[in-house]
């Protein structure tokens, strides 16, 4: 992995933590390729796979406060941000049930942001409405991190996804990626496609039932639809031979009518047809699309992927607070 970073004459060589200080993190497309690589390199400083002890990071953001505004449920994103903030010495305020705040009395979104920013140094917001994180950033005078705005964007998920890929393969280029599930609605696929399109030689295959193909605005000439009856998933993946099988649940909240007709499952049997090095990723939570019997397979890396979220979020918090030296 080390050799991948800091190529001569690349923008990374000129980039410092100052490029990130005070920045909002709203959309993956706000990052250049070199900025993404800088964040990934910084995340290594917090990852026990690369550093013997992360003790030196415990105090780097001492005295700073993170405000978590979770307007909809989360396990991984909320808890990993809580953990990341505390691991670098930050205090925490916030809520994950807006009904227990003065929003219940009719306080507006903008006023809620104005009040929370008065008490914190960085704001982390999850909200069901697309564009809400950008709206918060337009009101707030502290950095805002988008922790998922409905079907729109979840940039820190994308960064932890590509960190995971880099950890496994040692590169982010010349990879074959199959998106399995619902490329039409699933923000994880949109984010991975946008980020990995910044790197050369990657090929993308949207493996889905008819009607759930990737929206036009996300496509380029490296993206291909593989529309199938999902009963034929194992055979299709065996023919495609992807390096990465990126799986997502069918988000029934965005599908009109009966979504159960789109059900599928990736299983131990699926692995048998894949190249030996191929990995299975999933942002989680899963419903039925990953057979639990797959969990012990060494190439099923979705729990390690979730753990990587901690290191990436520690790095992002430290960078936007200007506390990385
Ligand atoms: N992957 C993800 O965003 O999970 P949560 O909804 O549990 O945060």
């Amino acid at each position: 992995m080390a050799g991948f970073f800091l190529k001569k004459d690349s923008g990374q060589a000129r980039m410092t933590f100052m490029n990130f200080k005070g920045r909002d993190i709203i959309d993956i497309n706000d990052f250049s390729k070199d900025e993404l690589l800088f964040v990934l390199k910084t995340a290594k400083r917090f990852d026990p796979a690369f550093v013997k002890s992360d003790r030196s990071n415990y105090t780097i953001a001492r005295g700073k406060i993170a405000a978590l505004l979770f307007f909809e449920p989360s396990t991984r994103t909320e808890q990993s941000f809580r953990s990341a903030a505390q691991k670098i010495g930050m205090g925490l305020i916030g809520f994950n049930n807006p009904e227990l705040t003065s929003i219940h009395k009719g306080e507006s979104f903008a006023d809620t942001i104005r009040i929370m920013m008065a008490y914190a140094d960085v704001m982390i917001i999850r909200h069901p409405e697309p564009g809400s994180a950008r709206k918060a950033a337009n009101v707030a005078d502290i950095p805002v991190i988008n922790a998922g705005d409905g079907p729109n964007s979840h940039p820190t998920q994308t960064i932890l996804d590509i960190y995971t890929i880099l950890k496994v393969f040692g590169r982010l280029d010349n990879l074959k990626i199959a998106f399995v599930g619902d490329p039409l609605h699933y923000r994880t696929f949109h984010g991975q496609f946008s980020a990995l399109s910044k790197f050369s030689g990657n090929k993308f295959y949207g493996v889905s039932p008819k009607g759930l193909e990737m929206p036009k605005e996300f496509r380029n000439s490296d993206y291909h639809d593989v529309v199938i009856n999902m009963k034929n998933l194992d055979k299709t993946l065996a023919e495609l031979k992807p390096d990465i099988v990126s799986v997502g649940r069918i988000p029934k909240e965005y599908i009109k009518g009966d979504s159960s007709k789109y059900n599928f499952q990736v299983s131990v049997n699926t692995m048998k047809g894949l190249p030996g090095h191929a990995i299975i990723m999933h942002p989680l939570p899963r419903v039925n699309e990953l057979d639990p019997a797959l969990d012990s397979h060494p190439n099923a890396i979705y729990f390690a992927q979730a753990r990587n979220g901690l290191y990436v979020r520690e790095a992002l918090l430290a960078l936007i607070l200007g506390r990385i030296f």
Side-chain angles (χ1 to χ4, degrees), residues 147-290:
D149 58 340
N152 190 42
S153 189
H154 190 357
T156 65
Q157 176 70 48
T158 305
I159 297 172
L160 78 88
D161 292 344
I162 64 171
Y163 182 74
T164 302
I165 294 169
L166 188 56
K167 244 172 115 170
V168 172
F169 291 98
R171 67 180 201 277
L172 289 171
D173 51 11
N174 295 305
L175 292 163
K176 197 189 244 198
I177 302 119
F179 298 126
V180 177
D182 178 0
L184 176 63
H185 300 106
Y186 207 58
R187 67 186 177 197
T188 298
F189 296 157
H190 303 166
Q192 290 174 357
F193 176 68
S194 296
L196 291 170
S197 290
K198 297 177 194 291
F199 297 84
S200 62
N202 290 324
K203 298 279 177 226
F204 307 91
Y205 298 86
V207 181
S208 77
K210 188 161 178 47
L212 298 185
E213 297 95 325
M214 184 76 98
K216 283 194 179 61
E217 64 266 29
F218 288 102
R219 290 159 176 278
N220 63 22
S221 57
D222 294 320
Y223 189 90
H224 308 278
D225 291 311
V226 185
V227 174
I228 60 164
N229 178 334
M230 295 301 262
K231 289 193 179 77
N232 299 325
L233 179 61
D234 291 359
K235 184 169 167 284
T236 303
L237 289 176
E239 284 164 9
L240 269 180
K241 301 192 188 331
D243 302 301
I244 300 163
V245 180
S246 180
V247 185
R249 74 184 169 87
I250 299 288
K252 60 181 179 191
E253 61 274 29
Y254 302 128
I255 290 176
K256 289 191 188 98
D258 178 21
S259 63
S260 66
K261 64 181 180 225
Y262 297 132
N263 285 355
F264 67 93
Q265 193 171 62
V266 173
S267 68
V268 175
N269 208 40
T270 315
M271 295 302 303
K272 288 180 187 155
L274 294 174
H277 67 268
I279 57 169
I280 308 289
M281 298 180 69
H282 193 306
L284 306 175
R286 63 177 153 188
V287 188
N288 294 312
E289 64 281 359
L290 291 176

